[in-house]
Amino acid sequence: MTDYLVRAMAKSGTVRALTCVTTATVSEVCRRHGTLPTATAALGRALTAGAMMGALMKTGQRVALRFEGNGPLKKIVIEADANGSVRGYVGDPQVHLLRPDGALDVPNALGRAGFITVAKDLGLKEPYRGMVQLYTGGIAEDLALYLVESEQIPSAVGIAEFIEQDGEVAACGGFLIQAIPPIDPLVIEELMTRIEQLPSLSDLLHQGKTPEEIMALLLAGIDYEILEKRAVGFACSCDRERIERVLISMGKKELSAMLVEQHGSEVTCEFCGEKYIFNESDLERLIDETA
């Protein structure tokens, strides 16, 4: 099944919700980075968070999420846009921590001390930036805290994955529910009760539940309508021309040293793992093009 996201709104206008399945997207990104299971779970959760945050943007806008903790993963960096494209990477893809019960220990892999930073490119001169401290290191709870503290929007976020013993991503997805002002406390209480009573999100995803079916469970008892169904997938904006511009920005001195000492250069995109090879003649051309 192709990954996709569903956006819905209560007919009363008091609640908006997103649900998504991101299994194929997470599998592709983690395959590119060679992540071990715990790093896979952490990156998968962050990619799902990014996809949902991107869906809240307008066409042409982008969002970047950066989770930085004191755990061995070090950081998770995600970029997403309003069209459903998402990409990302972890600081150390070879991290694999388990809890005493054998479950993947994402909170301690990322660390419970650190920050989540959200930067939104709204098409203005400067991007909007917000930052809050990590709360649990579990990704979903931290994103919800950011939305409440930095954007003052009461939000509930759920993200889950099912990783097979061999490290394959069997399922991944999530939901994001927000209360729209003027806030109705009774609606919030009803939603929180509904979320607490929801079966395990990991199990629902592993059972093959669709975003629409998960939405129906979350908003049971609320009159709502689905506004949009949007494809979600991995996409990287890197290309050789962009990398050349980065190299040119380093200046003639640095490029000349690269030419003399290394006789070329290999640049790897952090987001997709694509390698770009520049031989001596390539560097000579770039040096000539450098102001």
Side-chain angles (χ1 to χ4, degrees):
M1 180 179 65
T2 303
D3 291 347
Y4 69 97
L5 175 149
V6 166
R7 183 166 60 91
M9 176 75 76
K11 291 185 178 180
S12 64
T14 57
V15 176
R16 66 181 172 191
L18 303 170
T19 54
C20 65
V21 169
T22 56
T23 308
T25 304
V26 172
S27 295
E28 170 67 11
V29 175
C30 291
R31 179 191 64 79
R32 286 175 173 269
H33 292 292
T35 52
L36 291 183
T38 305
T40 295
L43 182 54
R45 294 180 191 182
L47 287 164
T48 303
M52 292 192 291
M53 289 292 287
L56 297 176
M57 310 294 285
K58 296 179 180 179
T59 301
Q61 297 180 344
R62 298 183 59 83
V63 62
L65 283 67
R66 188 179 184 93
F67 300 86
E68 294 181 279
N70 62 344
L73 276 177
K74 301 175 183 175
K75 63 182 177 181
I76 311 173
V77 181
I78 304 294
E79 292 186 359
D81 63 25
N83 297 320
S85 296
V86 61
R87 64 179 187 167
Y89 65 91
V90 293
D92 185 351
Q94 298 302 297
V95 171
H96 184 45
L97 292 183
L98 297 177
R99 297 188 328 214
D101 62 2
L104 302 178
D105 193 352
V106 172
N108 282 319
L110 178 59
R112 300 172 188 272
F115 297 90
I116 169 176
T117 304
V118 177
K120 295 182 178 181
D121 181 357
L122 305 177
L124 305 174
K125 289 184 178 181
E126 296 292 332
Y128 164 84
R129 294 183 184 276
M131 176 188 292
V132 298
Q133 290 186 328
L134 288 177
Y135 176 56
T136 67
I139 305 300
E141 299 89 342
D142 298 294
L143 180 61
L145 181 68
Y146 162 79
L147 290 167
V148 172
E149 288 197 358
S150 185
E151 300 190 6
Q152 288 79 53
I153 304 176
S155 306
V157 181
I159 302 174
E161 71 290 324
F162 194 100
I163 311 295
E164 301 285 8
Q165 291 294 324
D166 60 3
E168 290 296 310
V169 181
C172 194
F175 66 79
L176 189 161
I177 302 178
Q178 296 184 314
I180 306 299
I183 306 300
D184 185 339
L186 293 178
V187 171
I188 292 179
E189 184 178 348
E190 181 181 348
L191 284 171
M192 295 308 297
T193 300
R194 181 71 58 190
I195 292 170
E196 290 172 0
Q197 295 174 346
L198 191 73
S200 164
L201 181 58
S202 177
D203 290 343
L204 292 174
L205 292 165
H206 195 223
Q207 291 165 12
K209 296 295 185 184
T210 65
E212 291 91 341
E213 290 171 328
I214 295 173
M215 183 75 75
L217 291 171
L218 285 167
L219 300 185
I222 295 177
D223 193 13
Y224 70 93
E225 61 179 331
I226 291 179
L227 304 177
E228 179 187 16
K229 178 178 176 180
R230 176 184 306 180
V232 173
F234 162 76
C236 191
S237 58
C238 77
D239 56 32
R240 191 172 181 86
E241 184 178 344
R242 286 174 180 263
I243 301 301
E244 286 187 355
R245 291 200 297 268
V246 172
L247 290 174
I248 288 173
S249 70
M250 296 170 63
K252 282 189 176 183
K253 183 177 180 180
E254 189 70 26
L255 288 174
S256 298
M258 202 178 292
L259 175 62
V260 173
E261 298 171 9
Q262 303 175 26
H263 307 288
S265 177
E266 179 180 292
V267 180
T268 302
C269 175
E270 285 185 301
F271 285 99
C272 69
E274 187 73 25
K275 297 182 184 297
Y276 296 89
I277 308 297
F278 296 86
N279 57 30
E280 290 183 335
S281 61
D282 292 326
L283 291 182
E284 289 172 350
R285 174 176 58 81
L286 293 179
I287 290 171
D288 290 339
E289 294 178 9
T290 303

